[in-house]
Every structure is written in structure tokens, then in C-alpha cells.
Amino acid sequence: MKQSNDNKQNESKLSRRDFLKLGGALTIGVASVGLAAPLFRPLSGEQTQQDLNKFISTRKKDFVDYTRARAIPTICFGCTNHCGVIGWVQDGKVRRIEGNPLDPNSLGNTCSKTHGMISYTYYPERLLYPIKRVGKRGEGKWRRISWQEAIQEVGDRLKTCRESGHPERFIFHYGRDKTKGFTKRFTNAFGTPNRLNRRAICSSNRRVPLMSYYGRDFEWETQDMENTKYILNFGSNPMEAYQGGLYMMHRIQKARVDNGAKMVSFEVRPTATVNCSEEYFKVMPGSDGAIGFAMANVIIDEGLVDKAFWERWANISLAEIKEHIKDWTPEHAEKLSGVPAKDIRRIAIEFAKAAPHCTTMTARGSAKHYNGTQGDRGLRMLDVLVGNVGRKGGLCLTSGRMWGGGKYGQDGLPSVSQPKPKPPKPKAFTPGTAAYEDLPDDIKAKVARLDPQWQKKYQGELATPAEYPLSWHWYGMKVGQLVQPYIREGRAKVDVYMSYTYGAAYGYPEAKVCREVLLDEKLVPFHVAIDIDYSEHAALADMILPEATSLERWDPHSTNCYGLVPYTGIRQPLVKPLGEAREIQVIFRDLARHIGGGMEQYFDYENVEDFYKEWYKNVSAKIPGGWEEFKRRGIWQDPDRAKDYELYERPVPEKELLGSTVDPETGVISNTIKGKKRTVGIMMPNPETGEMEAVRGFPTPSRKIQVYDPVFPLAAKSAGLPEGDPNGNALPTLFTIPGFDELKEDDMILTTFKWNVHTQGRSSQWEFHAEIVHTNQLFINTRTAQKMGLKTGDEVEVTVQRPRGLTYRGGINEVVGVVRNRVHLLDGVHERVVCFAHAGGHWEHGAVARAENRESLPIKEPDSGLKKDFSNEIWWSKERGGTGNGAPMNDVLPINPSPLVGGQNWFDNICQIRKIS
């Protein structure tokens, strides 16, 4: 875009699009402000310098003067990785974010999402004051209110609910809560079990196989990527979007360079991880398990099993496994997946020969299917067969949970625990309690069918749905996509519904169902939303409370360490909250004090920092300089601690053996600790001497790897599944997705994916990120498209069918929805697949997400200080001749929880494609 050098008005209106057109010289010019931009076309040297000068003049206020700026460590909230970062603060504003070199996971690296925190903190349409609706719910009419009025009304409603004897009618529903139990402190103090999450939407299908095999403490694996030599990747994408991806990508590349490591990827589309793989195989969605079982067959038949490891740690004989999987051969897998049998054999042998320096890697791609839980159990078996579990270069297990309470693998770590007193947990819904008697008769019948262990834990259909016992067997993963349908069906009653940074009205499958329920004031009498901006979900509230962003608040931090030495960190405020935004810790403190009735004792603090100082007192005691030095570092890790290799072989401490008992048949060691009977280890023969010794084993009921897990048939019986249904098999089992074996010629499989610059649907208002990706066109295989007469840019109509099987409304012959979108031809996509990113098509979240050249905040905030001229910035709007923001695809994706577990089957959507133009 050519501009006159003396046109001062145009100079001040220089747009980001103009900036993105600058030539190579611009890269040097923006390095100091930490921006990275795609360069569309080179301009002349003179024009480049002119435009560069204009850009610098308009952005100079955001530059960092390192002689004046202050560096403060914190924890990123751009995605689920939560990397340690350092924010540079100048004149009371965060100017730049870079990596914290003390973080043993990220090793000082960051991705673009770190700057997303700056975007959403200073987003001109951020919510900064409490607002209350004045029109009909969802009409978009609001008025600004004081915090005193907000706390009064919300507190009164909560107090009435609590004193009615039905505290469970308070529903707290969160999207991304990283307070590490603080919100649970509030719901527990209130007495409601209905602290509901989004785990089923995200990853419960792939967590259950891990917890089944290795125990509750290992819901997420920690591959020793840096030391591996062979990676089997089934549908995961660490190079773009994966929990732990940033930590893994550098280690994977290091292993490829230093160790000659090989990565083989099985995917439905050419991801960034595929592009870094030595081999890529397009697979039919839901066939990953078939490949895994076939490889297991080969490893057994070729005599490549680590028999010593299997016989020591697997809880079933190799002969039984061989018999169980004998028919699931490479030839059978080829028919289901499309991967040649000869390649399956070759890769299985290469993988086993690399042991123990080899590992599997699975994710949503393999697990988010009707058969995904059982399929992932089969894939997990590969690691056990070759004996790489817990070993250098293999599939390792290290604690990712907050330290304390005697958790597995945390011996010797300081306790990191919430300050006392701690509120009691809500009581179970047992016969005679008001909550149980409030249940519909048909639900009482389902509860009566549950195994006694689950009847004792049952807390209603929202927190512990009777048809999905494995969603709450290990811990409360919930089945979030069924919350609104269950409320509509009368399975639960609501007095107060509180959503917390939650986006189901846009981002959940059949999101229109959520919107319909939230609009019904008989079903949801009062909805208060706590959020940082005006989302589709918050727009359906009666009141919105503005929360502080991650750059303005405190939170504890813990996650698994890919360096295999546990660590902890602290999120601390870099700046004060803008406007009247408040930290959730302050909001809940004030509500608890208003509600009273004993709740206030659990929130007895004035200064939020003091609360976290007490929380981390044992860590501070380990650091010279204490709490202040911990804040200065942002991260703490014991420098003398050994890596978490082979935790299962570590001896049981003497103090835990005192007074213990040993089961004469299994060798499992039990003891009573703090009044509860617990297993602490297992007696095993020393590999060298043969003498029996007490070792940790795994934190499972058998203290071994539970390849055979009786909890599956028990859950199937409790949930009323038909006898023999494969979802309830105690052994990992192969079966096809209902309907996939009867696909018609024009049937396609609709799948989703995540962009590397976005975090699901929560980042479309990040301006610089939206510039890079602001739409969500359908990707389709080139040859498939040509058969349909399609070319890139054509508009199509997508019709999605209701799924079959034992799922929500499964088997009903109906269309879930129809949506229009534009196609993009891409070689490497599976011929039966069309895929899209679900971070597009927003109708709220502000002008950037909506791709509109005008403000869209529902209420004017003239004193916010966050003003912007949207008319010149959003160059991708349709008004400016751009593509717009894409299509809201989630409305047409069916609610499809997998049996027993409840994980959403995102990738099982049978659809038809019709060309429109």
C-alpha cells in the first residue's frame, strides 16, 4: 500500500495489513518489539523505509526501554502448556513477554500464544465493570452496576439456595480453571458437588487408558523425548497444538539431530508434526487401534517382547494376550486403516528393536472416537510389550499433581497445599438425603444399578452421571457436553448457574442446545458469568462479573516435567487489574462473606498474596531468601533430585512398612495412613538375587500395569450396556465405529483440528493471532475435491448426520445440522476426510473475533482507557473485501459421548458435501 510521505492523516492510520506487506528489512526493525509477521510481498527500498518509519512511529509507545522496564516472572495462560515466562513491565503496562530459562519444561522457549496474554489484557473490548441485563436474556441490553450491587444480588441468591437445603442446585461450570483447587474450595464450602468442567470435551478418552494401566497419578504421560530413538505418533500434534507440545517439540528435534531418532506419524491430515516425521501414513479415522493391535501381534510373533519386564509388571500372561489379539493382524489393520501390512510389520519391528529408547505418542486423533478408549488401551500395550515404561528414552511417568498428601512419586518433595482450614467435601446422594429424594424415579433406578463402590460416591447426574461411571471413577472428569441436555430433561434442578471463563454456547457440540437451555429462565432462573470478555456464553447471562486476566492475578502451578524432575511455579500479577476487574480469589472471598453460614472461615484473608505465601511456605523454606526469592525466580526445582526413571522399582520407605500387611496371593502391601487403608507397594523378587523386597510398583489396585482391568466390565454392567459390548471388555479390544462399515459413496468424515496460533475458540479476539488465522475453511483432499467438481474457494453445504451406537440420541435417523463454508484443497488429507479448525465463526468476543470494522461491546465504557480505531485494523473483514471470520461449525457437530467414559467423539461425524457455488 503506497502512501504519501507528507500525508500525516494516513501516516497515523497505518494499518497492520500495511505493516505485513513490508519487505525483508522490516524483520530487523521489529525484532526489538518481539513481533513476527508473514511478509506478503517486497516493496522498493525507499518505500520499505518510509513504511517502516511510519510503523515505528505509531508503535513506539509499545517499545521496551530495558533501562526502565522491570522483569517479573509468571506462568503463561496462552494455552494448556502453562510455560514459565518473564513479563517486561514499563510505565505500568506489560510490553513484552519472553521465556523463563529456569522453567525445566520450556527451557526458556515460548510460542506466539504468550503474547496473546497481552492482547486479551489490553483488548479494547475487554469487560472491565460489572454489568446486568436490562432486556430479555440474550437480547444484548445491559447496564453498568457497582460491585456492591453485584455481590449483594449474587450473594443473596446463593445464600437462599444454600439455606433451602439443596446446595447442589448451585451449578459452577468452568472452561479453563488453573486455580489448582481454589474454585473447588468455594464449591466445597458451599456444599455443592456440581463444580463442572470440560474434561470430556478435551481428553478423557485418552486419560482413562493411562489411569487404567498406570494409576490415577498418571493421567498424562511424559515421554523421555530427548533420549528416545523411535517415536510412534498416533494422531498427536506437538509441533502445533498439544498439551506439553512446546516442551516436546524441542526435545524431539534434539533427539532427531543428536540420536538419529525416527518419528512415524499416523494422521488424517498433514500437520506440522507430520512434516517433521520421517514417515507419514494417512489413516481412516478411528483405525489407530487396529494398527496398534497389529503391531503388537508382530512384536509377539517376532519374539521381540521384553519378557522379563512383561512377566514382572503386566497383570496378565503373554499367552493370554497373544490369544486375545491373534486375529488382529497387519492384513486386517490394512483393510481398516489403509496402511499397507508390510509397512505395519516393518515399523513394529523397528520400534521394538529400538527399545527401551522408543515411545508411543497418542492424543485426540487416536482417542476421540467411539472406539477410542479401547483403541488407546491397545496402543498403550506396545510400550509394555517392549519394556520401555519408565526407562531412559521411553514412555516415562512423573507426577504432575500438586505436591502433598503422600501422592505417588512425590517422596521427599515439600508439601504445596492450600491454607487451613479446608472445607469438607460435599456429601454423597444416598437414600434419605434431600438431594437423592429430589432425583427423578428413573434416575434412582439407574443409581440402584451401580456397583456399591459408585453408589457410595454418587452425587447427581451432572457431577457423576450414572451411565458414565468411568468419567468419575478415578476422579471427577464429568461429561460436560451433557450438562445442558440433562438440565432440559429434568435430571437436575438449577437455582443459580455460574459460568467461569466458559464458552459452551459457542464451542461445544450442538452448541445451539446449550443456548436454548440458557435462554429458558424456567430451567436456569439465574445465570451469572465471570469472564474477561463478552463471549457467546456470557452474552446469555443475567449478570457478568469482570475477572482479572492472567497478567493481573495469582495462581499456583504444577505440571508434569519432561526433564523428569518435578518442579513447581507461581503465577503472579505483573500489573494491577484494569478498570474494576477483580481476581476470582477476591470475588469468591466477598461472596463467601456475604453468604455466611460458616463459608467465610475458608476465605479469611485480605491480601491475596498472603494466601499464596501460606500455600507455598514449604517451598519458600527450601530457598535462601524465602518467598521473595521464589517470586523473583518464578520456578523452583530441587537441584539434587534424581530423575523419575523406574519409579516402580524404588523401595517402599521404612516408615510406610511399619504396621503394614502383605496379601499372601498378590504380594500387595497395605497400610493405614491418616485413618485410611492404602496400598503402598508390592513384594517382588530382586532381579539379581531373587530375594523378595518391597518396591513401589504402580499406583493401581494390583500395583502392576493393568493391561487387564476388571473395572471396564463392572462399569458396563453398572451402566446397563448390553452383555458382550466391546466397550466393557476387561482387555484392550478392537471394534469399528458404528456406521463406518456402511459408509455410502458420498459419505465423508468431518473432523476438527487446532491451529498453532490459537487456543480452541478462546483466542479469536487476539488481534495479531487473528491476522494470521481468522477463518476456518474446510480442508479436503485434492483428488476427492476434483471428483466433486470443487476448487479452492468454492462454497459448500455440509450436512451432518446423527451418530449411531450407544451414545446421546444414538441411532436416531436425523440430521444434526447444516452449515455452509468454503473449501481449501490440500494434498495429504485422507480421501474420506474433510477437516476444519473450530476457532472461527464467532458472533461475540468483540470486533476482532467477529471480523467487523466497528465496536461491538454491549455497553460503552468511556473511561476504560482502551480505545481503538477498528475501521482500519481489521483488514480481513468482509467490509474490507476479506474472507471474514469463518463459519460456526460447532452447531452441526453432534453431542456424542463415548460409552462409559463420556469423552466427546469429535472425529466420528458422518456428513455429506454439496457444492453451492
Side-chain angles (χ1 to χ4, degrees):
M1 180 177 176
K2 189 173 182 178
Q3 297 185 6
S4 171
N5 196 38
D6 59 359
N7 189 330
K8 299 301 181 183
Q9 181 178 4
N10 285 345
E11 179 177 324
S12 66
K13 293 279 189 176
L14 181 73
S15 72
R16 279 281 298 172
R17 192 181 196 186
D18 297 328
F19 162 60
L20 293 175
K21 291 179 179 178
L22 300 185
L26 183 59
T27 305
I28 300 172
V30 300
S32 63
V33 294
L35 296 175
L39 306 179
F40 289 164
R41 63 179 176 85
L43 303 179
S44 67
E46 180 180 357
Q47 185 64 50
T48 296
Q49 189 60 52
Q50 290 176 4
D51 286 349
L52 175 57
N53 291 339
K54 293 174 185 177
F55 177 79
I56 291 175
S57 69
T58 58
R59 299 285 177 173
K60 195 172 182 179
K61 65 182 184 302
D62 296 322
F63 287 11
V64 181
D65 180 349
Y66 290 102
T67 65
R68 298 171 52 216
R70 181 186 177 199
I72 305 173
T74 190
I75 303 297
C76 184
F77 208 163
C79 73
T80 60
N81 284 332
H82 297 276
C83 303
V85 294
I86 296 173
W88 287 91
V89 181
Q90 181 179 323
D91 299 327
K93 183 177 180 180
V94 182
R95 302 293 184 91
R96 176 186 173 93
I97 297 177
E98 59 189 31
N100 186 341
L102 297 180
D103 186 326
N105 266 338
S106 66
L107 304 173
N109 296 296
T110 64
C111 73
S112 68
K113 294 175 186 176
T114 58
H115 282 80
M117 292 192 293
I118 297 179
S119 287
Y120 63 59
T121 297
Y122 300 111
Y123 185 40
E125 295 190 283
R126 176 185 166 189
L127 293 172
L128 295 176
Y129 305 94
I131 57 176
K132 180 179 179 180
R133 73 174 172 96
V134 294
K136 295 180 180 179
R137 188 182 290 175
E139 193 176 11
K141 295 180 179 180
W142 303 83
R143 70 176 176 91
R144 179 170 158 180
I145 62 174
S146 68
W147 270 105
Q148 182 180 1
E149 182 180 348
I151 295 297
Q152 178 79 36
E153 180 169 351
V154 177
D156 284 350
R157 286 180 177 272
L158 286 171
K159 184 175 183 179
T160 299
C161 173
R162 190 169 187 251
E163 292 178 353
S164 72
H166 286 284
E168 76 282 356
R169 294 183 185 176
F170 167 43
I171 313 298
F172 178 77
H173 210 164
Y174 68 86
R176 184 68 69 189
D177 176 4
K178 289 298 178 181
T179 63
K180 295 297 180 183
F182 181 85
T183 61
K184 191 174 184 178
R185 186 183 187 92
F186 184 81
T187 54
N188 282 359
F190 189 89
T192 180
N194 289 318
R195 176 179 174 268
L196 310 177
N197 58 25
R198 56 182 297 280
R199 180 69 74 227
I201 293 297
C202 182
S203 54
S204 53
N205 283 12
R206 59 101 62 204
R207 292 176 190 255
V208 163
L210 282 164
M211 292 188 291
S212 169
Y213 265 44
Y214 303 114
R216 159 67 180 96
D217 298 85
F218 301 118
E219 58 180 314
W220 209 265
E221 75 279 39
T222 312
Q223 296 93 339
D224 187 16
M225 290 298 188
E226 187 173 349
N227 296 301
T228 199
K229 295 182 179 179
Y230 208 103
I231 304 167
L232 288 181
N233 171 30
F234 295 95
S236 60
N237 189 14
M239 300 298 180
E240 284 185 276
Y242 182 83
Q243 185 167 320
L246 184 69
Y247 316 148
M248 299 169 77
M249 66 169 67
H250 300 286
R251 291 174 167 90
I252 289 173
Q253 295 297 68
K254 187 176 188 301
R256 293 175 70 212
V257 172
D258 293 351
N259 307 340
K262 178 177 181 178
M263 181 160 60
V264 181
S265 289
F266 301 91
E267 257 287 4
V268 300
R269 67 181 187 93
T271 66
T273 304
V274 163
N275 291 335
C276 291
S277 300
E278 278 63 38
E279 295 188 64
Y280 163 47
F281 295 92
K282 292 180 293 185
V283 298
M284 181 68 177
S287 66
D288 305 79
I291 299 168
F293 283 117
M295 288 184 174
N297 241 320
V298 172
I299 291 169
I300 293 173
D301 289 346
E302 294 291 328
L304 297 173
V305 176
D306 185 336
K307 290 186 177 180
F309 183 85
W310 181 278
E311 291 171 0
R312 182 173 176 84
W313 289 116
N315 73 336
I316 187 172
S317 73
L318 189 61
E320 290 174 279
I321 286 295
K322 182 176 182 179
E323 176 64 22
H324 178 65
I325 68 172
K326 64 181 181 181
D327 295 328
W328 301 332
T329 62
E331 288 72 24
H332 182 66
E334 180 177 356
K335 293 178 182 177
L336 295 176
S337 68
V339 180
K342 62 180 179 61
D343 290 313
I344 294 175
R345 281 195 171 84
R346 172 181 57 81
I347 293 167
I349 292 171
E350 290 175 358
F351 176 76
K353 287 185 175 180
H357 299 89
C358 62
T359 184
T360 59
M361 182 166 58
T362 74
R364 291 160 60 100
S366 63
K368 301 303 283 184
H369 299 281
Y370 187 89
N371 62 358
T373 299
Q374 288 286 5
D376 255 34
R377 292 181 72 205
L379 295 171
R380 293 297 171 200
M381 189 165 59
L382 295 174
D383 298 295
V384 189
L385 285 169
V386 301
N388 67 27
V389 178
R391 293 177 171 171
K392 188 173 183 178
L395 183 95
C396 291
L397 307 167
T398 185
S399 179
R401 303 171 68 190
M402 291 301 290
W403 302 341
K407 298 185 187 79
Y408 183 93
Q410 296 185 359
D411 297 330
L413 293 172
S415 176
V416 179
S417 183
Q418 290 190 29
K420 296 178 180 179
K422 297 179 183 179
K425 296 179 181 179
K427 296 179 180 179
F429 292 17
T430 53
T433 62
Y436 178 86
E437 299 305 328
D438 206 30
L439 296 172
D441 289 341
D442 61 328
I443 300 302
K444 291 178 182 176
K446 291 178 188 241
V447 175
R449 192 173 59 201
L450 289 171
D451 187 78
Q453 66 170 309
W454 291 319
Q455 288 187 29
K456 294 176 183 177
K457 295 167 58 178
Y458 180 77
Q459 293 181 318
E461 285 297 279
L462 302 186
T464 54
E467 293 168 71
Y468 301 92
L470 296 188
S471 72
W472 45 283
H473 171 66
W474 289 275
Y475 74 100
M477 294 188 291
K478 321 294 195 302
V479 187
Q481 69 271 42
L482 289 178
V483 169
Q484 274 75 29
Y486 277 9
I487 291 173
R488 184 167 63 180
E489 294 171 11
R491 297 194 188 199
K493 296 177 182 178
V494 181
D495 285 343
V496 177
Y497 176 84
M498 179 183 286
S499 58
Y500 176 49
T501 60
Y502 190 56
Y506 160 81
Y508 268 36
E510 291 186 71
K512 56 182 178 285
V513 174
C514 175
R515 298 195 297 273
E516 290 167 0
V517 171
L518 292 181
L519 285 169
D520 191 332
E521 294 185 40
K522 292 181 180 178
L523 295 175
V524 182
F526 184 73
H527 172 196
V528 55
I530 303 174
D531 214 325
I532 64 173
D533 57 28
Y534 192 70
S535 69
E536 290 84 1
H537 205 87
L540 302 179
D542 301 301
M543 187 183 294
I544 307 177
L545 307 180
E547 195 204 8
T549 73
S550 55
L551 297 182
E552 304 166 336
R553 57 181 279 187
W554 294 91
D555 280 319
H557 171 66
S558 69
T559 190
N560 54 316
C561 180
Y562 284 82
L564 300 175
V565 178
Y567 77 104
T568 189
I570 188 74
R571 177 176 291 119
Q572 58 183 317
L574 275 60
V575 291
K576 294 180 179 180
L578 290 178
E580 293 182 6
R582 292 185 177 181
E583 298 168 85
I584 189 69
Q585 296 88 345
V586 174
I587 297 172
F588 277 177
R589 179 199 65 191
D590 293 350
L591 283 174
R593 290 176 177 178
H594 184 90
I595 296 166
M599 280 191 70
E600 66 279 8
Q601 66 179 305
Y602 305 112
F603 300 87
D604 186 21
Y605 54 86
E606 296 301 326
N607 188 307
V608 177
E609 179 176 351
D610 290 342
F611 184 80
Y612 288 96
K613 184 177 181 180
E614 176 68 17
W615 196 324
Y616 273 92
K617 64 182 181 181
N618 295 321
V619 171
S620 298
K622 295 277 187 179
I623 305 172
W627 171 249
E628 292 300 321
E629 179 63 15
F630 180 45
K631 288 196 301 177
R632 194 184 72 84
R633 298 181 184 183
I635 298 289
W636 184 79
Q637 184 181 48
D638 185 347
D640 299 321
R641 189 176 179 87
K643 289 193 173 187
D644 280 351
Y645 290 129
E646 300 187 56
L647 290 174
Y648 47 85
E649 294 286 5
R650 292 185 180 179
V652 180
E654 287 294 330
K655 64 179 181 179
E656 294 184 32
L657 291 176
L658 292 174
S660 65
T661 60
V662 178
D663 186 302
E665 294 185 7
T666 64
V668 171
I669 306 167
S670 301
N671 208 339
T672 300
I673 300 175
K674 295 183 179 180
K676 292 183 178 181
K677 187 175 181 179
R678 294 172 47 184
T679 61
V680 297
I682 186 170
M683 298 299 297
M684 297 291 283
N686 183 294
E688 296 180 1
T689 67
E691 295 182 3
M692 300 300 290
E693 56 187 9
V695 296
R696 277 296 188 198
F698 295 86
T700 62
S702 65
R703 303 300 290 193
K704 292 191 173 187
I705 301 172
Q706 297 202 165
V707 179
Y708 174 92
D709 194 342
V711 77
F712 285 91
L714 186 65
K717 182 180 179 181
S718 293
L721 264 60
E723 188 174 351
D725 186 273
N727 289 285
N729 201 313
L731 285 172
T733 298
L734 176 64
F735 58 97
T736 56
I737 298 166
F740 274 34
D741 53 353
E742 300 176 11
L743 292 176
K744 299 175 184 176
E745 185 177 352
D746 63 341
D747 286 341
M748 300 289 287
I749 309 301
L750 178 64
T751 71
T752 72
F753 67 91
K754 302 177 186 178
W755 285 112
N756 62 341
V757 295
H758 281 298
T759 303
Q760 292 92 27
R762 295 193 296 277
S763 57
S764 294
Q765 74 276 24
W766 302 356
E767 183 183 359
F768 297 157
H769 300 71
E771 285 187 296
I772 299 170
V773 176
H774 40 258
T775 189
N776 60 343
Q777 67 268 53
L778 284 170
F779 289 93
I780 185 171
N781 179 275
T782 301
R783 288 186 296 275
T784 302
Q786 289 171 346
K787 291 178 182 178
M788 295 182 179
L790 295 172
K791 63 182 182 302
T792 292
D794 284 347
E795 187 177 22
V796 297
E797 184 179 80
V798 184
T799 302
V800 182
Q801 307 296 327
R802 177 71 60 191
R804 303 182 191 180
L806 302 173
T807 187
Y808 176 75
R809 297 176 64 83
I812 297 177
N813 186 19
E814 65 179 3
V815 171
V816 176
V818 180
V819 67
R820 291 186 175 190
N821 206 339
R822 296 192 179 276
V823 297
H824 187 103
L825 277 59
L826 180 64
D827 291 335
V829 176
H830 191 278
E831 288 79 1
R832 275 281 192 179
V833 168
V834 286
C835 52
F836 73 97
H838 53 204
H842 280 283
W843 58 95
E844 300 294 358
H845 273 290
V848 173
R850 291 163 58 140
E852 295 178 348
N853 294 98
R854 57 186 178 277
E855 293 184 51
S856 60
L857 195 66
I859 187 169
K860 297 295 182 182
E861 296 181 348
D863 55 344
S864 72
L866 299 176
K867 298 177 182 179
K868 194 158 195 171
D869 177 13
F870 289 109
S871 64
N872 197 47
E873 291 289 319
I874 306 173
W875 52 262
W876 59 94
S877 71
K878 290 184 178 180
E879 298 168 70
R880 296 284 299 275
T883 60
N885 70 340
M889 298 292 293
N890 298 307
D891 272 0
V892 305
L893 298 180
I895 295 171
N896 187 7
S898 60
L900 304 182
V901 176
Q904 173 66 18
N905 303 320
W906 282 113
F907 308 135
D908 293 353
N909 311 297
I910 298 175
C911 71
Q912 294 79 41
I913 308 293
R914 183 173 71 88
K915 182 178 179 180
I916 301 296
S917 62

